[in-house]
């Protein structure tokens, strides 16, 4: 493959396109934040989950219920986790739609379905209607999560791809913060129906995504992949020139065309991904990185932080406000990471974030084990603050490492012929284990108690070791030349076969 530096610069056209598509992350983050907040609101629990409400109020008056078990309810966890089960199913279909029709239609479909789910949740009159709305939200998130990271990776210039793809996770943080702020204020405004406002306002980012998608361009990679004749290829090259803001983009365009030629021999991308030895490293990453991202324990904070904070003794309003601050810490760390990811590299951030997360989980587990008894008195104010600070440190570590990198790395390592299928696998694995953790967290907290945080800490050790041993650095490598990193890696070259050194000039690495 010829070596050449790609021409191009950062253009307003590509920035605006990626900002619009990143609204897919906003709808994801908003729904995660909203579900955690409304499930701690007393009127919401009283209407839809009366058993939990009764157990919570009785626990306040007696020592009969464990502090760790007040919110344990399979129906309550089904409300949270149903979104991710639906997202899992949707992601299995989304990769075929994205490959056959392009990234833009998948983004548009995701926004439209999410909009319907938001409206249904806001007007729900029973728990079945509530969960149906969550299922529709999950379908929307499934399509958006499969297509948006691909869109961002393909639109961004190679040397800025990490920062641009971070936009998806940063927008998840923006959505999460918006949701927690809305939860806090509507709870103050009108407690009896404030939860309806929280659920229904998910329609705002969904509308922005659906309407914005109407004006998005398709990615040049997708246009080339689906081109039928030379006219289609010329239009794709013209779009690439517009995106890059350069008259000569031939080097990058030729690499895309060569990648398309390789992809034409693959009629069943998913089968090719699963069976071809040359795709084994990418397949492992598509499974392992999303799996590890979920067993960090982040969903303890993302889904249930208000419930966790109420468990240690904070009141309803204080718990909602603490969730707001948690979101701000995570988004701030995410933003700082976005500024350095293409300078420091992926592996450095994985290591630093893993160490910080492990220390934080050890503090949370240690304080709860030492100070929070199974029944009766909750943590004192000083110890509650210690847990809060440790949680914020944990969120910061996740925010500049496994959070955004868990979306970035899988989206950038696949060759064109299996890219949509690979992203579909990564999203499906992500949703599968998000569902598993969301559905099992409250029962696990009830049974493992403080030991749950040491359980997640053990996984942080395992996944940091995985990165050290098996994940090569992908910083600055053009997306169409990514196969070179596997041929040079100490382990993966034995799997795929070494074929000489990768040309580092094209990667912009000296």
């Amino acid at each position: 493959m010829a070596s050449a530096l790609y021409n191009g610069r950062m253009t307003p056209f590509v920035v605006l396109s990626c900002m619009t598509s990143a609204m897919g992350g906003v709808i994801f983050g908003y729904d995660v934040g909203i579900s955690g907040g409304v499930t701690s609101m007393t009127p919401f629990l009283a209407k839809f989950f009366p058993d939990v409400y009764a157990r919570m109020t009785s626990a306040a008056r007696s020592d009969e219920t464990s502090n760790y078990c007040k919110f344990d309810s399979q129906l309550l966890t089904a409300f949270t986790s149903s979104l991710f089960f639906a997202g899992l199913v949707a992601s299995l279909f989304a990769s075929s739609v994205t490959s056959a029709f392009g990234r833009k239609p998948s983004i548009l479909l995701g926004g439209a379905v999410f909009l319907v789910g938001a409206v249904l949740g806001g007007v729900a009159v029973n728990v079945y209607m509530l969960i149906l709305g969550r299922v529709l939200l999950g379908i929307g998130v499934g399509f958006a999560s499969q297509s948006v990271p691909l869109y961002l990776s393909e639109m961004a210039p190679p040397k800025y791809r990490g920062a641009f793809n971070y936009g998806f996770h940063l927008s998840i943080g923006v959505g999460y913060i918006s949701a927690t702020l809305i939860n806090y204020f509507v709870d103050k405004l009108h407690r009896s129906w404030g939860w309806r406002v929280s659920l229904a306002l998910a329609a705002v980012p969904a509308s922005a995504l659906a309407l914005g998608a109407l004006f998005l361009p398709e990615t040049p990679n997708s246009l080339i992949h689906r081109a039928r004749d030379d006219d289609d290829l010329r239009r794709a090259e013209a779009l690439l020139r517009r995106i890059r803001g350069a008259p000569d983009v031939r080097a990058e365009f030729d690499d895309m065309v060569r990648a398309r030629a390789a992809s034409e021999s693959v009629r069943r991308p998913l089968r090719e991904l699963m069976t071809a030895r040359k795709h084994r490293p990418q397949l492992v990453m598509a499974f392992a990185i999303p799996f590890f991202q979920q067993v960090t324990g982040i969903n303890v904070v993302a889904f249930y932080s208000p419930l966790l904070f109420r468990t240690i003794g904070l009141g309803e309003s204080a718990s909602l406000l603490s969730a707001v601050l948690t979101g701000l810490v995570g988004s701030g760390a995410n933003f700082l990471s976005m500024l350095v990811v293409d300078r420091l590299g992926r592996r450095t951030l994985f290591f630093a974030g893993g160490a910080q997360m492990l220390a934080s989980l050890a503090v949370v587990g240690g304080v709860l084990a030492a100070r929070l008894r199974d029944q009766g008195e909750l943590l004192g104010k000083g110890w509650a603050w210690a847990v809060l600070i440790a949680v914020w440190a944990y969120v910061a570590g996740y925010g500049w490492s496994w959070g955004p990198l868990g979306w970035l790395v899988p989206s950038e390592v696949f060759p064109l012929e299996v890219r949509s299928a690979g992203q579909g696998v990564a999203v499906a694995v992500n949703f599968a284990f998000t569902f598993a953790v969301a559905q099992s967290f409250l029962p696990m907290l009830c049974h493992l108690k403080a030991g749950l945080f040491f359980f997640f800490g053990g996984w942080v050790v395992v996944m940091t070791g995985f990165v050290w041993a098996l994940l090569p650095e992908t910083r600055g490598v053009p997306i169409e030349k990514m196969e070179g990193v596997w041929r040079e890696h100490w382990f993966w070259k034995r799997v795929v076969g070494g074929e000489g050194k990768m040309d580092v000039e094209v990667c912009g690495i000296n």
Side-chain angles (χ1 to χ4, degrees):
M1 189 174 289
S3 170
L5 289 172
Y6 292 166
N7 292 323
R9 58 184 176 83
M10 190 72 69
T11 62
F13 179 78
V14 69
V15 171
L16 290 174
S17 297
C18 290
M19 285 177 61
T20 301
S21 65
M23 290 300 294
V26 174
I27 65 174
F28 195 169
Y30 185 91
D31 200 74
V32 169
I34 284 298
S35 63
V38 297
T39 53
S40 72
M41 294 181 184
T42 302
F44 179 83
L45 292 174
K47 181 174 180 62
F48 295 109
F49 306 98
D51 292 344
V52 176
Y53 174 74
R55 190 161 58 245
M56 183 181 69
T57 53
S58 66
R61 299 190 301 267
S62 70
D63 291 342
E64 295 178 359
T65 303
S66 168
N67 288 321
Y68 293 97
C69 301
K70 289 184 291 187
F71 298 98
D72 183 18
S73 165
Q74 286 299 302
L75 188 59
L76 180 60
T77 52
F79 165 73
T80 298
S81 61
S82 58
L83 179 143
F84 300 99
F85 181 77
L88 165 63
V89 175
S91 66
L92 300 177
F93 297 97
S95 63
S96 298
V97 174
T98 303
S99 180
F101 301 101
R103 286 48 167 157
K104 175 178 174 177
S106 284
I107 294 173
L108 177 60
L109 180 60
V113 176
F114 193 95
L115 176 60
V116 176
V119 173
L120 192 60
V123 300
V125 295
N126 56 54
V127 69
Y128 304 106
M129 191 173 177
L130 191 70
I131 292 179
L132 177 58
R134 293 283 292 177
V135 168
L136 293 177
L137 294 176
I139 294 173
V141 168
F143 271 87
S145 298
Q146 198 276 339
S147 54
V148 168
L150 277 184
Y151 188 91
L152 293 170
S153 289
E154 292 180 348
M155 289 289 283
K159 64 180 179 179
Y160 299 121
R161 188 177 63 247
F164 264 79
N165 203 284
Y166 259 46
F168 181 71
H169 197 267
L170 184 61
S171 63
I172 292 177
V174 170
Y176 182 85
I177 292 171
S178 300
T180 54
L181 282 170
I182 289 170
N183 281 335
Y184 178 74
F185 285 112
V186 300
D187 184 61
K188 294 288 188 182
L189 179 66
H190 201 297
R191 297 190 68 187
S192 65
W193 49 259
W195 60 268
R196 290 193 182 275
V197 177
S198 293
L199 294 176
L201 283 179
V204 175
S207 299
L209 179 64
L211 293 175
L214 294 175
F215 303 98
L216 284 179
E218 188 54 83
T219 69
N221 307 68
S222 181
L223 290 177
I224 292 170
H225 179 64
R226 296 179 293 112
R228 297 182 178 180
D229 51 37
D230 289 343
D231 288 339
D232 289 341
L233 291 176
R234 281 191 289 270
R235 282 191 288 270
E237 185 177 9
L239 176 61
L240 183 60
R241 285 196 296 269
R242 187 181 176 192
I243 290 171
R244 298 290 180 250
D248 181 12
V249 293
R250 198 69 197 180
E252 185 175 6
F253 179 76
D254 286 345
D255 280 342
M256 292 181 181
V257 172
R258 278 190 285 267
R260 182 262 181 113
S263 71
E264 287 180 337
S265 62
V266 179
R267 295 187 176 183
R268 297 180 178 178
L270 183 59
R271 182 177 180 180
E272 169 75 9
L273 175 65
M274 293 292 184
T275 58
R277 188 178 180 87
K278 65 179 180 179
H279 299 315
R280 199 65 48 79
Q282 297 96 320
L283 180 62
V284 170
M285 297 305 153
F287 276 95
I289 291 179
F291 166 74
F292 286 136
Q293 188 188 45
Q294 296 313 309
V295 295
T296 59
I298 187 59
N299 291 322
V300 172
V301 176
F303 302 155
Y304 299 114
S305 59
L307 298 185
L308 175 63
F309 297 150
R310 293 197 71 177
T311 295
I312 64 176
L314 297 181
E316 182 175 329
S317 294
S319 296
L320 293 173
L321 181 59
S322 297
V324 174
L325 297 176
T326 300
L328 289 172
V329 168
S331 294
N334 194 180
F335 180 75
L336 291 175
S337 181
M338 182 176 67
L339 300 179
V340 300
V341 63
D342 288 315
R343 296 180 183 179
L344 299 181
R346 284 57 163 156
R347 284 167 56 88
T348 299
L349 294 179
F350 271 130
F351 296 149
Q356 183 170 332
M357 291 162 63
L358 178 61
S360 302
L361 287 170
V363 170
V364 173
V367 170
L368 293 182
R371 307 300 304 181
L372 182 61
R373 288 180 290 180
D374 191 46
Q375 294 176 331
E377 184 180 354
L378 300 176
L379 290 181
K381 180 177 288 188
W383 290 110
W385 272 105
V387 171
L388 278 177
I389 292 171
V391 166
W392 291 337
Y394 165 81
V395 169
Y398 179 86
W400 61 51
S401 62
W402 278 92
L405 291 174
W407 292 100
L408 167 61
V409 173
S411 74
E412 68 181 0
V413 299
F414 294 103
L416 180 63
E417 63 266 27
V418 295
R419 190 171 298 155
S420 289
Q423 183 67 9
V425 169
V427 172
V429 172
N430 188 295
F431 279 123
F433 286 99
T434 302
F435 169 77
V437 172
Q439 188 67 24
S440 63
F441 167 64
L442 291 178
M444 289 177 70
L445 179 64
C446 181
H447 290 88
L448 295 180
K449 301 180 174 59
L452 178 62
F453 298 92
F454 297 113
F455 170 81
F456 288 128
W459 278 113
V460 171
V461 173
V462 172
M463 65 200 213
T464 303
F466 172 87
V467 170
W468 177 79
L470 296 177
L471 181 66
E473 183 56 66
T474 56
R475 173 178 63 93
V477 182
I479 197 169
E480 304 303 342
K481 295 192 174 184
M482 194 65 70
E483 71 276 3
V485 301
W486 312 109
R487 295 199 303 267
E488 293 186 340
H489 188 265
W490 73 272
F491 175 79
W492 293 119
K493 66 182 180 182
R494 305 174 188 177
V495 177
V496 301
E499 297 179 11
K501 293 290 185 181
M502 179 176 60
D503 191 335
V504 296
E505 180 188 13
V506 78
C507 304
I509 303 173
N510 297 313

